Amino acid sequence: MHGTLVRRIKLLSPLFEELRDGNEESMVKIEEIKGFELLKSALDSTKKLLQSINEGSKLYQALQKDQVAYKFQQMTETIEAALSEIPYDKLDISEEVREQIELVHAQFRRAKGRPESPDLQLEHDLAIVQKEKDPDPAILKRLSDKLQLRTINDLTKESVALHELVITSGEDPGERIEEMASLLKKLKDFVLTENPEADTSEGEKGLMKHRSPVIPDDFRCPISLELMKDPVIVSTGQTYERSCIQKWLDAGHKTCPKTQQTLLHTALTPNYVLKSLIALWCESNGVELPKKQGTCRSRKAGSSASDCDRTAIIALLEKLANGNSEQQRAAAGELRLLAKRNADNRVCIAEAGAIPLLVELLSSTDPRTQEHAVTALLNLSINDSNKGTIVNAGAIPDIVDVLKNGSMEARENAAATLFSLSVIDENKVAIGAAGAIPALIKLLCEGSPRGKKDAATAIFNLSIYQGNKARAVRAGIVPPLMRLLKDAGGGMVDEALAILAILASHHEGRAAIGQADPIPVLLEVIRTGSPRNRENAAAVLWSLCTSNLEQLKIAKDFGAEEALKDLSETGTDRAKRKAGSILELLQQLEVKEDAVSLSSL
């Protein structure tokens, strides 16, 4: 469909070339013709559609092929309608060009009434690969060829597109993302075993060691421009080398280096798909594999200043286990600092068995000991393998108890710890079930500026799980969010809007938001906010207006049309889509109201 539409549009180029080379008088007349204005608008929309196909996830397009086909059909109809408004006989063009354009117009006219036939083979292959654990390699080969996911670079770009889809989706991606991730893994395994690029003989591998293969751009960290060893995703969806982005964040920066967007939170999510693709590329090209994170077992004592001191750590653990209260407090404080210092220490401390002992100290009656213990666990949780150890030690109920009853510092660090643990999906469920959300909402209302942000990022991440959305709404999250949203000087507008946008995808969330008189403040953000805030405000407004006619009428009364028209021209791609959809609803509402007025006459 993409190729066919591009080919037809290219056939229009002789018309534009001849008009461009015509005399000025004819150009003045042409600019007054309605058809060319319609055609420009149609081609602008078509260009955006073609770009979304080129840059988007191929797996998503394959699974949503009916919706994608409908968009192409709409573009075909729009272009045909514009071409119908152009009076070719009045244009200063040659007979040859006129005949060609009329033929192209006829093609669009036929295509308008003849939608693309479904690709039954593709549908069949997708269904089998989704259903079977070990699908036939011949079917995987057909899918790989059809979707043009044949090489490591292809799979890398697809992985990036999937991550971007998760980040920017206005709705809860849910099972659809899981399906695509599963399909991507099966295709990756197929490429690993079947792709000639990955099936290199030992002799060729030896020769490759003397070459300097070009590192794919997607494998380079945007900060260092070096091959990534531990790629992680920030809240904007961009991927960086962990050490590089951590240094950027430690320096106090609050923005994404590549996009300059404000980071919603500073959590770093491992990009496992990209990491495995980098390893595969290295193996295929004879490049030394990126070294895994070091552990204290593989290092010589005292080999560098950053290496952990296992003897000292074991001594601290002895104090944690058997010391008096003062010794426990001091040992927990030292472990807290060691875990913060570097990655090697985090590995060593966990391997030495500190995590169960620190979890026990979460119940300490000494506030300072409790603060040290929860903060040490927060620092240890930066290491992904430690997250599982912390949860398996039964830490979640105790961390929630600290969040409810600890000192303000302990509560804030408990919120940050829960956010760190909630990066793993199954932990979102456990944390929500443990009663964390009401306590996080309380911290959101009464914490320090840092504590409020820690609470907000934890609530946002937990609410990705559908069940926690309902918990947050029932715990009264919406009124505090609306207060933060209306307090422009409070520094929490970004976080409040992001949480509202994710809650608005749940029916209870929409109902609660609708009761909070949200329309005026949402429209004000759409008029004056940052690009990301305008996008989230439009997403909330869209959820309200598509599910409730009264909200749509309120939006109309508050002058939504003008603000949305501006957003549809100047906003982000997602914001433009939401604005366009609401504008259509407003137009339909106006038609209905006019019809009612006429019938009453």
Side-chain angles (χ1 to χ4, degrees):
M1 289 183 285
H2 178 286
T4 301
L5 189 55
V6 169
R7 177 181 55 77
R8 287 174 181 153
I9 291 172
K10 283 181 177 179
L11 291 173
L12 295 172
S13 59
L15 171 63
F16 302 128
E17 291 167 3
E18 193 147 326
L19 291 173
R20 181 194 61 199
D21 297 335
N23 61 62
E24 292 184 5
E25 290 183 9
S26 64
M27 288 301 291
V28 172
K29 294 176 184 176
I30 289 165
E31 287 175 354
E32 297 172 351
I33 295 174
K34 175 185 175 183
F36 281 95
E37 294 176 347
L38 294 174
L39 186 58
K40 178 187 183 301
S41 176
L43 292 178
D44 283 342
S45 299
T46 300
K47 181 180 179 182
K48 291 175 184 176
L49 174 61
L50 296 173
Q51 284 178 331
S52 72
I53 296 298
N54 278 328
E55 298 167 6
S57 162
K58 292 180 170 63
L59 288 171
Y60 179 79
Q61 292 164 24
L63 293 170
Q64 300 284 326
K65 52 193 172 300
D66 292 340
Q67 292 91 322
V68 175
Y70 176 70
K71 291 178 183 178
F72 274 99
Q73 191 65 20
Q74 281 186 312
M75 288 300 100
T76 298
E77 293 174 4
T78 304
I79 294 172
E80 192 280 327
L83 292 174
S84 297
E85 295 291 334
I86 298 176
Y88 307 115
D89 56 335
K90 295 181 181 179
L91 301 180
D92 185 19
I93 57 177
S94 66
E95 188 70 27
E96 180 183 353
V97 169
R98 182 180 295 111
E99 289 178 358
Q100 177 172 334
I101 300 307
E102 288 175 346
L103 285 172
V104 177
H105 187 187
Q107 287 183 13
F108 275 101
R109 194 158 44 238
R110 286 194 299 272
K112 184 177 73 169
R114 188 182 61 213
E116 292 280 344
S117 300
D119 189 333
L120 298 178
Q121 183 69 64
L122 176 62
E123 292 181 9
H124 176 73
D125 289 347
L126 281 171
I128 290 177
V129 173
Q130 285 177 278
K131 181 179 179 181
E132 295 185 2
K133 184 177 180 181
D134 297 308
D136 186 341
I139 296 176
L140 288 169
K141 176 71 165 62
R142 277 201 304 269
L143 271 184
S144 176
D145 290 339
K146 172 70 72 173
L147 300 179
Q148 297 179 10
L149 297 174
R150 305 183 186 96
T151 67
I152 297 169
N153 282 349
D154 295 337
L155 291 162
T156 302
K157 290 176 183 176
E158 178 66 15
S159 170
V160 171
L162 281 180
H163 285 298
E164 184 67 19
L165 181 66
V166 175
I167 296 298
T168 61
S169 175
E171 295 76 32
D172 187 355
E175 294 181 0
R176 182 64 67 182
I177 289 295
E178 294 179 9
E179 289 176 8
M180 290 186 282
S182 174
L183 281 169
L184 183 62
K185 184 179 186 306
K186 290 173 183 176
L187 287 170
K188 186 198 78 172
D189 292 342
F190 169 76
V191 169
L192 177 64
T193 56
E194 300 292 330
N195 194 331
E197 291 181 11
D199 187 17
T200 310
S201 68
E202 290 300 318
E204 289 172 328
K205 287 180 180 177
L207 289 172
M208 283 181 178
K209 291 180 181 178
H210 300 286
R211 302 173 188 164
S212 297
V214 177
I215 300 173
D217 289 340
D218 291 328
F219 292 178
R220 294 180 184 271
C221 173
I223 297 175
S224 67
L225 301 180
E226 298 293 331
L227 182 68
M228 287 187 277
K229 302 176 180 64
D230 189 7
V232 293
I233 308 165
V234 298
S235 66
T236 60
Q238 300 295 326
T239 296
Y240 298 94
E241 173 62 32
R242 183 186 291 276
S243 61
C244 295
I245 191 63
Q246 191 63 59
K247 286 179 183 177
W248 171 267
L249 297 173
D250 290 345
H253 296 291
K254 304 294 184 184
T255 57
C256 172
K258 191 171 182 180
T259 67
Q260 295 305 306
Q261 290 177 305
T262 300
L263 294 170
L264 179 64
H265 53 73
T266 57
L268 305 177
T269 305
N271 191 334
Y272 293 117
V273 175
L274 183 59
K275 187 173 184 178
S276 65
L277 292 174
I278 290 173
L280 178 58
W281 178 86
C282 289
E283 183 179 351
S284 303
N285 288 276
V287 176
E288 184 178 355
L289 286 170
K291 293 180 180 178
K292 296 181 179 179
Q293 190 178 55
T295 68
C296 54
R297 290 196 186 101
S298 63
R299 297 182 181 273
K300 296 178 181 179
S303 62
S304 77
S306 65
D307 288 349
C308 62
D309 186 338
R310 189 173 182 81
T311 303
I313 289 171
I314 290 174
L316 291 172
L317 263 59
E318 176 64 26
K319 292 179 182 179
L320 281 187
N322 302 312
N324 58 36
S325 58
E326 290 186 4
Q327 289 175 323
Q328 286 181 326
R329 184 193 312 125
E334 287 191 50
L335 287 171
R336 166 184 179 173
L337 294 175
L338 284 171
K340 183 178 181 180
R341 192 166 297 160
N342 60 56
D344 293 322
N345 285 350
R346 289 189 278 274
V347 174
C348 291
I349 291 168
E351 288 183 347
I355 287 174
L357 297 173
L358 289 168
V359 170
E360 287 184 22
L361 290 183
L362 291 175
S363 304
S364 171
T365 56
D366 177 57
R368 195 62 181 155
T369 301
Q370 192 179 65
E371 288 169 13
H372 287 327
V374 75
T375 311
L377 289 170
L378 167 61
N379 295 335
L380 289 170
S381 73
I382 295 171
N383 179 287
D384 293 313
S385 62
N386 288 349
K387 287 180 171 63
T389 307
I390 292 169
V391 172
N392 292 337
I396 287 178
D398 291 323
I399 296 172
V400 172
D401 189 61
V402 173
L403 177 66
K404 292 177 178 177
N405 304 309
S407 67
M408 184 56 71
E409 180 183 345
R411 289 171 63 195
E412 291 176 350
N413 287 338
T417 308
L418 290 175
F419 166 73
S420 177
L421 296 176
S422 70
V423 169
I424 298 172
D425 287 340
E426 53 263 35
N427 291 348
K428 292 180 176 68
V429 182
I431 293 168
I437 290 175
L440 288 168
I441 294 172
K442 187 177 181 182
L443 181 60
L444 183 68
C445 296
E446 60 188 34
S448 68
R450 182 181 72 84
K452 288 181 177 180
K453 286 189 180 291
D454 285 336
T457 52
I459 292 168
F460 174 86
N461 213 43
L462 289 172
S463 296
I464 293 172
Y465 169 59
Q466 194 77 356
N468 286 337
K469 293 176 186 176
R471 287 192 176 103
V473 173
R474 293 166 191 168
I477 182 68
V478 172
L481 291 176
M482 293 304 299
R483 288 196 294 270
L484 293 173
L485 185 56
K486 294 173 182 177
D487 180 15
M492 292 290 293
V493 172
D494 296 6
E495 290 81 357
L497 265 174
I499 298 171
L500 285 169
I502 202 168
L503 293 178
S505 66
H506 190 278
H507 65 94
E508 290 186 40
R510 284 193 297 275
I513 295 168
Q515 293 170 7
D517 190 26
I519 302 295
V521 67
L522 290 173
L523 289 175
E524 182 60 25
V525 173
I526 289 173
R527 292 186 185 102
T528 63
S530 66
R532 178 51 64 90
N533 283 350
R534 296 176 78 201
E535 176 183 308
N536 281 329
V540 177
L541 186 63
W542 177 84
S543 293
L544 294 173
C545 291
T546 53
S547 61
N548 191 313
L549 183 60
E550 288 304 314
Q551 297 292 348
L552 184 64
K553 291 179 179 178
I554 294 171
K556 180 188 174 185
D557 293 341
F558 275 96
E561 187 170 0
E562 183 180 350
L564 290 168
K565 282 181 178 177
D566 178 65
L567 184 63
S568 68
E569 296 173 357
T570 62
T572 64
D573 288 344
R574 179 183 171 221
K576 289 177 181 177
R577 292 195 301 272
K578 298 297 184 187
S581 179
I582 303 171
L583 285 169
E584 287 180 10
L585 293 173
L586 289 170
Q587 290 169 3
Q588 294 169 11
L589 176 63
E590 189 172 344
V591 171
K592 290 179 182 177
E593 290 177 342
D594 289 344
V596 171
S597 298
L598 287 172
S599 65
S600 63
L601 294 176

